Amino acid sequence: MQRKLLLCLAATAALAACKQEAPAPAASAPAPAPAPAHTFAGGINAADFGELVKHLASDEFEGRAPGSNGEELTVNYIRDQMQRIGLQPGNGDSWFQEVPMTETTADPNTVLKIQQGDTSRDLVFGTDMVIGTRSGQPEIKIDNSELVFVGYGVDAPEQNWNDYTGQDWKGKTVVMFVNDPGFHTDDATLFDGKRMTYYGRWTYKF
């Protein structure tokens, strides 16, 4: 997979999107998206910004997903807008830079076996469970790892809440709920009730 960076010397940020590796691409690139029926002013104004956002959010860009035709339409449109206001490319004569990326896809034949005493259960990928990894390693194995349930996996001193108190999880696999305590108890005074706080997000729990 390649990631395509849109570079501009006069801009403080770069646009990044990824481009899937595939067999030899067709000779013709995706046609640029039709120009919106809008006349841009010489200076910066709210109407122009609104038009840019509206146009990029339209169905013409097919969702703008990385590696898709919509991505090509999107980066080409942004490049055209940079050219329109007189910016110059930041990668020599090119507006784009190819950056290698790694894509990890889980083996659909993966099975997660859970055993309690003499009772075991196989969880099938895609039906009973999903898995993923950010390590980039070709194979990940977890063998004979004891499971430790830690509730919501939250340590929030200001809420007088710590799911890890008295738990020993070293060398074990931690199991927890998504969200935070107020969600399932329907208690508006516990955390923020039904509204998820930062403690309920995977970014915190990881």
Side-chain angles (χ1 to χ4, degrees):
M1 183 190 296
Q2 298 289 329
R3 170 163 286 179
K4 180 178 288 185
L5 298 181
L6 182 64
L7 303 176
C8 172
L9 289 175
T12 58
L15 173 77
C18 63
K19 179 180 179 182
Q20 299 280 359
E21 283 187 352
S28 58
H38 176 83
T39 301
F40 289 91
I44 299 174
N45 61 56
D48 286 351
F49 273 117
E51 179 61 30
L52 292 172
V53 173
K54 177 182 177 181
H55 191 59
L56 283 170
S58 69
D59 291 344
E60 294 176 18
F61 292 89
E62 305 174 10
R64 307 178 306 281
S68 71
N69 180 64
E71 176 209 25
E72 294 290 337
L73 295 173
T74 301
V75 297
N76 288 336
Y77 175 75
I78 295 175
R79 175 205 59 202
D80 292 345
Q81 295 307 310
M82 288 182 171
Q83 289 176 327
R84 178 184 61 79
I85 62 176
L87 300 181
Q88 299 297 318
N91 185 30
D93 295 331
S94 175
W95 290 89
F96 304 105
Q97 180 177 352
E98 301 292 340
V99 179
M101 295 183 64
T102 299
E103 179 181 35
T104 301
T105 303
D107 184 346
N109 296 317
T110 300
V111 173
L112 178 63
K113 181 184 290 290
I114 297 180
Q115 185 166 345
Q116 182 178 18
D118 296 331
T119 303
S120 66
R121 179 182 178 186
D122 290 348
L123 303 182
V124 178
F125 178 76
T127 302
D128 305 314
M129 60 86 178
V130 292
I131 59 173
T133 176
R134 299 180 180 183
S135 70
Q137 300 179 48
E139 184 177 46
I140 303 293
K141 281 189 175 183
I142 301 177
D143 292 328
N144 299 318
S145 179
E146 182 179 347
L147 303 181
V148 179
F149 178 63
V150 294
Y152 292 88
V154 170
D155 179 9
E158 73 281 6
Q159 298 279 356
N160 295 316
W161 190 285
N162 189 349
D163 285 318
Y164 295 99
T165 300
Q167 294 273 19
D168 176 17
W169 59 87
K170 185 176 181 179
K172 303 174 184 178
T173 298
V174 172
V175 179
M176 67 184 70
F177 288 129
V178 70
N179 222 304
D180 39 30
F183 182 82
H184 291 103
T185 60
D186 203 19
D187 183 352
T189 65
L190 190 59
F191 287 70
D192 280 352
K194 286 289 187 181
R195 187 176 75 84
M196 181 185 290
T197 70
Y198 176 60
Y199 292 114
R201 302 188 182 279
W202 286 121
T203 49
Y204 165 78
K205 296 178 187 293
F206 285 149

